[in-house]
Amino acid sequence: MKHRTFFWFILPTLSAMILFIALPIVSVFIQSLFVAHEQVLVVSESCGPFGCTPTTSVDLEATAKLQEERPLGQFNGLGTYTNRSHLAFAEVGEAWASSASMGEFFSKVYNLPFYSALTFTLAYTAIVTPLVLVLGMAIAVGVNNLPNMLKGLAIFISLLPFLVTPLVGSLILFWMVDSDGVIGATIQNIFNDPTLSLKASTALTWIMLMFYGVWHTLPFSFITFYAGLQTVPEDTMEAAQIDGATKWQRMIHVIVPHLAPLVSFVTLMMIMDNFRVFEPIVSFKAEAHAQSLSWIIYNDLRESGNPLYGSAGATSLITIILVVILMTPVLIRTWRDFTRKSH
Amino acid sequence: MFLKNLATATAFVGLMGTAAYAANCGPEGQSIRILASDFPAIHAVAGTAESNCAAGASEFSTNHTTEARQIMNAALTPNPAEYSSVILANATLTQLMNDGLVRPLNDLVEKYGENISPNLLITIDGNVMAVAFMANSQHLFSRKDILEQAGFEGIPATYEEVLEAAAMIREAGIMEHPIVMNLQTGWNVGEVFNMIYLGHGGEFFEPGSAEPAVNNEKGLAALEVMKSLAEYAHPDHLTHASNETQGLWESGQAALGVMWGSRGSPILDDEGSTEEVTSNTVLSAAPTVGGGSIPSATLWWDGIAISSNVSDEEAEATFAALVSALTPDMVAANNDDAVWLLDGFQPGPAAAGVAQTAQGGAKPYPMIPQMGLLHAALGAELADFLKGDESAEQALADVEAAYRTSAKEAGFLQ
């Protein structure tokens, strides 16, 4: 294709990408460099049904004048990125200087909101992603070997978790693991401990969230691999069979290499998906034990009644950068495969 | 003062009842659009305003949503604003005033305020910013049968007595977790700290500034009380908010609860619980703490505010319509839905807790512009302490550090 033709061909897609992806990211980045104007406080008396008290309030005129002068707010550079709510350079440095042992250092760093959220997010991604890949492949192979009569039903059942909206799915599980719920009460019976609660322990909450993550995303990898299995060339399989390869050897040496591009694809999707884990934390009310980067963004925009846009923007950009770093190995692999094939 | 109002209010009922009341709805043909929370008392006010004044208006719409607090600033920012009025409370009024989204009501009160007693006017620096109509606060719910069975006499009046009673109930083998409280991580746990801290006589900020002042002896004492209470609460307490605590109470799994006044009537009614629970539930003032003399609670009011970004006629019609609902008739028809601050209210058993708490001199939730940020910091940072992962000193230091970071970003601290 001529460069000129290619350019006109790609133009609509390119402009949509700039408009809907690149520009918003640039805008979020610019906003994250600013903080709000100085709020001019005045002391006045406030009265209501419960009496009068001296109190402070915002001097709107003075604040409005500041806003008019500089509509974006006060320039803060990368200050928001390095403050205590984010990378916390000063606090981490202080922890390093004042800690006697590595354990103490890590526990001080873990006490900072960003690092504790990052720890959970990374752990969630690192545990859920491989589990989903392996289990998805196993179920796909299992279903593929079923007699035709049962296949439709098995596929339908395996897809069910995916059909439930994440928020609803996690709410249902939340009720089930309540100490009065089906799962919660059963676990208490098994361990004969009436105070055992899945919601009260950090370790159990993490396990529960990851279990939910695997349950909910498994159908995606299953259906992708199942579709891939339908394209495995029959002659190669037959040749392997004639050569005396066992089922397991055929799986490892024929099927898995054939599905390798799909494995890369599912891995990429899963990393992106798991890194933005959010809904189960809200539904499970797990904030006390587990917070994720996405949850921090949501909290900045919502809880304070005074949305912290710069803070949310900074966390968003750090999240994007971390996702790109995590995906790089898979992307490099895909690129190598692509260039090798095109020669 | 609170009870005196109630008394005058009752005296007025006879007078008002005889006068034929015709609603004064202000200018005709205006659009009235109300944003409000979703609970029965607010439905009563907005519904009465609608039946009084919808006929003369070009449009009358109400949006009752539990998300009101989250959307109100965004909805009132454009000009014209999405809603001409918001039904709000202490904390949400400051949230809107910080952005200049509600207008002073002095002239409207002069014109339409014959039903409004002066103490219902929320004034800041001489400007009336809202008109309150109901009160709410946290207070103590007790099961008198269980207390009796455990050998505790009377109803606990201090948090120390609450803990003593809880220990007796546990020892008697009646309940392992007799206490329920809204300790869900986030807003609720922050609010529990606020009320116990105020009960200790604490102040949230250095006077006249936005510098936090919770990391002190009173803050530590408040945290210790919270920790002791949590030990007698259900193991899942960090996920419990009003719906869960009400559920535990109604299913008879708790004997001592600190819950909102607005849960009084749903708990005492004959739905969702047993006769044994409802007939033995006693509502009383929030306990005092640490030798203090005022109930450990935050007093709240709900009231009417009018948007800045609507035309003067719309503002006038909206105000007139809503104020037309604040009558003894409306109160009489919905008496048990709220602790009304209006004429005609007859406090029933469901109102006893809030009335006693207010009478005892509990502090109102502070109307300070940066309070929301401190509340959010408390909500986020106290869970580690309650889980036993860090010391009270560390938790309060974290709260102040988290608050300082967000207050700098919001422009309150430099």
Side-chain angles (χ1 to χ4, degrees):
Chain A
M1 208 185 285
K2 275 188 194 157
H3 284 305
R4 209 182 140 82
T5 326
F6 178 73
F7 172 76
W8 285 110
F9 178 70
I10 201 83
L11 186 67
T13 321
L14 201 63
S15 17
M17 281 170 76
I18 291 176
L19 199 60
F20 295 117
I21 301 176
L23 283 182
I25 294 180
V26 170
S27 147
V28 167
F29 174 67
I30 293 174
Q31 285 182 61
S32 71
L33 299 179
F34 288 85
V35 294
H37 288 283
E38 189 185 337
Q39 306 271 2
V40 187
L41 294 182
V42 285
V43 179
S44 49
E45 190 172 60
S46 96
C47 295
F50 317 117
C52 294
T53 43
T55 179
T56 51
S57 58
V58 175
D59 183 342
L60 287 174
E61 267 175 40
T63 311
K65 205 171 142 238
L66 286 173
Q67 258 160 5
E68 215 163 285
E69 282 164 11
R70 287 170 303 176
L72 268 174
Q74 312 182 62
F75 185 70
N76 189 33
L78 293 175
T80 308
Y81 288 82
T82 59
N83 71 13
R84 184 185 179 274
S85 301
H86 301 91
L87 297 173
F89 286 165
E91 285 76 8
V92 173
E94 156 73 25
W96 182 254
S98 68
S99 302
S101 67
M102 280 310 268
E104 194 187 338
F105 170 70
F106 282 120
S107 87
K108 278 184 184 168
V109 170
Y110 185 69
N111 186 35
L112 296 164
F114 176 82
Y115 291 101
S116 103
L118 182 65
T119 311
F120 175 75
T121 313
L122 283 174
Y124 182 90
T125 311
I127 291 171
V128 172
T129 308
L131 277 178
V132 167
L133 280 172
V134 172
L135 291 175
M137 180 80 87
I139 299 177
V141 172
V143 170
N144 202 33
N145 288 335
L146 280 178
N148 276 335
M149 214 174 79
L150 292 175
K151 265 186 193 171
L153 188 67
I155 293 175
F156 176 72
I157 292 175
S158 314
L159 282 180
L160 274 179
F162 210 46
L163 303 179
V164 186
T165 314
L167 208 60
V168 176
S170 39
L171 262 182
I172 294 172
L173 201 60
F174 179 73
W175 291 323
M176 288 167 76
V177 300
D178 190 274
S179 44
D180 289 333
V182 184
I183 300 176
T186 311
I187 292 178
Q188 286 187 352
N189 269 337
I190 294 173
F191 291 95
N192 199 16
D193 177 1
T195 59
L196 182 71
S197 163
L198 288 172
K199 297 176 190 170
S201 135
T202 302
L204 292 177
T205 304
W206 281 39
I207 293 174
M208 189 166 66
L209 288 169
M210 288 171 188
F211 182 87
Y212 169 79
V214 172
W215 174 79
H216 185 256
T217 44
L218 202 49
F220 169 73
S221 80
F222 152 70
I223 201 71
T224 316
F225 290 137
Y226 182 77
L229 284 176
Q230 311 310 310
T231 69
V232 175
E234 297 226 351
D235 6 343
T236 322
M237 287 295 278
E238 272 171 31
Q241 219 165 343
I242 291 164
D243 286 346
T246 60
K247 266 198 165 174
W248 181 247
Q249 284 171 326
R250 270 178 280 155
M251 174 83 197
I252 295 298
H253 296 292
V254 182
I255 296 179
V256 172
H258 179 76
L259 294 183
L262 278 183
V263 173
S264 305
F265 166 73
V266 175
T267 312
L268 280 181
M269 297 301 287
M270 284 294 106
I271 290 176
M272 284 196 283
D273 220 28
N274 291 331
F275 208 75
R276 61 175 175 76
V277 51
F278 170 69
E279 292 96 336
I281 296 181
V282 173
S283 303
F284 282 104
K285 297 190 184 175
E287 293 91 339
H289 302 288
Q291 302 181 346
S292 70
L293 294 178
S294 301
W295 186 86
I296 293 193
I297 300 172
Y298 162 82
N299 196 43
D300 277 341
L301 290 177
R302 186 186 149 97
E303 261 310 310
S304 44
N306 192 340
L308 302 169
Y309 296 113
S311 194
T315 316
S316 307
L317 279 167
I318 296 175
T319 309
I320 293 176
I321 292 168
L322 288 172
V323 170
V324 171
I325 293 175
L326 278 185
M327 292 199 315
T328 309
V330 191
L331 282 174
I332 290 175
R333 211 197 121 93
T334 316
W335 176 250
R336 277 205 199 122
D337 286 352
F338 172 75
T339 43
R340 200 186 311 137
K341 270 178 202 156
S342 62
H343 285 301
Chain B
M1 196 175 96
F2 183 79
L3 271 212
K4 207 176 85 195
N5 285 327
L6 292 183
T8 12
T10 339
F12 263 109
V13 185
L15 291 174
M16 296 297 290
T18 53
Y21 184 78
N24 177 2
C25 290
E28 291 213 338
Q30 299 299 320
S31 159
I32 298 170
R33 309 176 302 277
I34 299 163
L35 174 65
S37 294
D38 189 19
F39 53 91
I42 307 238
H43 279 279
V45 171
T48 311
E50 183 164 11
S51 58
N52 285 347
C53 297
S58 69
E59 179 193 3
F60 196 109
S61 63
T62 37
N63 180 6
H64 289 281
T65 163
T66 51
E67 292 292 287
R69 170 169 168 249
Q70 312 300 340
I71 63 174
M72 53 177 64
N73 283 52
L76 263 52
T77 302
N79 196 354
E82 184 73 23
Y83 300 97
S84 55
S85 168
V86 185
I87 311 283
L88 40 60
N90 317 30
T92 36
L93 175 62
T94 33
Q95 184 184 320
L96 287 172
M97 279 181 57
N98 285 355
D99 292 344
L101 297 175
V102 285
R103 60 169 68 201
L105 303 169
N106 302 30
D107 48 340
L108 292 173
V109 168
E110 213 164 281
K111 207 164 166 185
Y112 297 95
E114 69 267 25
N115 282 335
I116 306 171
S117 75
N119 71 308
L120 297 186
L121 303 177
I122 311 299
T123 55
I124 289 171
D125 208 11
N127 286 323
V128 179
M129 300 311 294
V131 176
F133 57 78
M134 62 170 280
N136 199 358
S137 86
Q138 306 88 346
H139 60 77
L140 188 68
F141 291 66
S142 314
R143 280 280 299 275
K144 62 172 194 268
D145 54 336
I146 294 179
L147 287 174
E148 211 169 283
Q149 198 186 334
F152 185 89
E153 281 189 23
I155 299 293
T158 67
Y159 269 113
E160 290 73 19
E161 285 175 16
V162 169
L163 287 167
E164 190 194 327
M168 289 166 79
I169 294 170
R170 183 179 278 183
E171 260 167 48
I174 305 169
M175 277 178 195
E176 187 61 20
H177 304 292
I179 295 180
V180 291
M181 291 184 90
N182 299 336
L183 283 168
Q184 187 188 342
T185 311
W187 197 90
N188 283 284
V189 75
E191 179 66 0
V192 169
F193 175 84
N194 290 345
M195 60 192 206
I196 299 180
Y197 183 64
L198 284 174
H200 278 95
E203 292 281 339
F204 293 102
F205 299 97
E206 307 284 350
S209 87
E211 282 293 327
V214 293
N215 190 1
N216 53 39
E217 289 302 312
K218 289 169 182 164
L220 293 175
L223 282 186
E224 289 309 325
V225 173
M226 282 171 77
K227 183 78 165 271
S228 323
L229 290 165
E231 275 163 24
Y232 288 100
H234 190 284
D236 293 348
H237 56 262
L238 289 173
T239 66
H240 283 174
S242 284
N243 289 336
E244 287 79 14
T245 48
Q246 181 186 334
L248 284 170
W249 192 271
E250 293 199 308
S251 63
Q253 295 185 55
L256 294 156
V258 178
M259 294 181 272
W260 285 96
S262 44
R263 296 284 158 170
S265 117
I267 281 179
L268 293 181
D269 69 11
D270 50 8
E271 277 171 44
S273 189
T274 58
E275 168 68 18
E276 191 199 0
V277 172
T278 51
S279 64
N280 284 305
T281 298
V282 178
L283 278 54
S284 61
T288 60
V289 71
S293 58
I294 57 165
S296 286
T298 55
L299 288 179
W300 290 69
W301 50 261
D302 284 78
I304 296 161
I306 306 288
S307 306
S308 301
N309 296 334
V310 292
S311 70
D312 290 346
E313 292 76 28
E314 264 183 26
E316 187 175 341
T318 306
F319 185 78
L322 283 168
V323 167
S324 81
L326 308 183
T327 62
D329 289 344
M330 188 278 294
V331 172
N334 305 283
N335 192 65
D336 289 336
D337 284 344
V339 176
W340 299 102
L341 294 168
L342 301 169
D343 295 349
F345 177 57
Q346 311 271 10
V354 177
Q356 286 177 27
T357 303
Q359 192 188 17
K363 292 267 187 273
Y365 185 87
M367 288 208 294
I368 300 174
Q370 69 277 12
M371 186 63 202
L373 295 170
L374 181 63
H375 197 143
L378 285 163
E381 296 289 347
L382 294 184
D384 283 346
F385 166 73
L386 289 176
K387 284 192 298 178
D389 291 352
E390 68 183 25
S391 66
E393 289 82 1
Q394 181 65 45
L396 288 177
D398 285 350
V399 167
E400 290 206 345
Y403 163 77
R404 267 181 227 279
T405 309
S406 54
K408 272 183 195 151
E409 188 177 332
F412 288 105
L413 289 175
Q414 292 305 308

